[in-house]
Amino acid sequence: MMKKLIALSLLLCCLTGVALADTYGMGVYTEISAAESAYVEDGDEYDGKYEVYTHVCHVVLDEEGKIVDVWFDAVQTKLGFTAKGEVKNEAGSLITSKFDLKEKYGMAAYAPNAVGEWYEQARALELYCIGKTVEEVLSAPTTEAGALDVEDLKTSCTIGVTEMLKALEMAAANAR
């Protein structure tokens, strides 16, 4: 039975492209991206909001520190409340990630310079990272908007990636 389990494990490693010497890490970078107080002005009530942005990165590194596989995702958690302090979101509400939303995220429809939906651009970034060291990716030049300013990505990834790269750095630091 043990031999079968070992054989199955080795087969799975070969099928997924992960070698036994590879290391795996996960990084989660979370920040408050928006906060507005609720208030009353001239008898009118204005709602407040609180937004938390979480970026996730899973990375597989080979023995030389090169990226074998990488995956990015992001979640925007938006919470609202009234001037009376009532929470507008229901407990237990599902918050879907950008990757899972795919076209429903709708970035391509609203961003005039978008070269695709968020998940498509994130995938382009992932493909760019494969074969490079984390240091090579982190040291790449960026635009004022935070996109990587490299020829390989100019037509496939124009989104800001600063927070995604922070999650990558954390994932690499956690790799074992």
Side-chain angles (χ1 to χ4, degrees):
M1 179 65 171
M2 185 58 120
K3 287 181 183 180
K4 287 182 182 180
L5 186 57
I6 292 171
L8 180 60
S9 297
L10 289 172
L11 176 64
L12 287 174
C13 286
C14 292
L15 291 176
T16 61
V18 177
L20 292 177
D22 291 347
T23 58
Y24 167 81
M26 178 179 155
V28 179
Y29 178 80
T30 301
E31 66 182 2
I32 297 169
S33 55
E36 293 180 19
S37 297
Y39 62 96
V40 177
E41 185 177 289
D42 298 327
D44 293 327
E45 294 184 6
Y46 297 90
D47 293 341
K49 72 175 184 178
Y50 198 75
E51 184 174 305
V52 178
Y53 213 137
T54 302
H55 300 268
V56 179
C57 177
H58 297 265
V59 69
V60 178
L61 304 170
D62 68 12
E63 62 277 350
E64 295 172 3
K66 291 189 177 183
I67 298 170
V68 174
D69 196 21
V70 63
W71 179 76
F72 294 102
D73 202 351
V75 176
Q76 285 178 283
T77 306
K78 298 179 181 184
L79 305 170
F81 51 94
T82 67
K84 294 177 183 160
E86 298 165 338
V87 177
K88 297 179 76 173
N89 306 75
E90 290 186 37
S93 297
L94 177 65
I95 300 170
T96 308
S97 75
K98 288 183 178 185
F99 189 85
D100 289 337
L101 284 170
K102 303 256 189 274
E103 278 76 14
K104 290 179 186 175
Y105 182 63
M107 184 183 76
Y110 295 104
N113 297 328
V115 294
E117 282 297 338
W118 187 92
Y119 76 96
E120 295 168 319
Q121 294 192 50
R123 183 63 184 145
L125 174 63
E126 293 164 358
L127 293 173
Y128 168 78
C129 292
I130 293 173
K132 294 174 179 56
T133 66
V134 173
E135 307 315 321
E136 288 172 320
V137 175
L138 296 177
S139 65
T142 57
T143 66
E144 283 185 37
L148 285 184
D149 193 11
V150 295
E151 204 58 42
D152 292 348
L153 291 176
K154 290 188 181 204
T155 60
S156 59
C157 181
T158 58
I159 57 175
V161 297
T162 306
E163 292 83 5
M164 295 164 76
L165 296 183
K166 288 178 183 177
L168 171 62
E169 185 174 26
M170 294 168 78
N174 292 329
R176 46 186 148 154

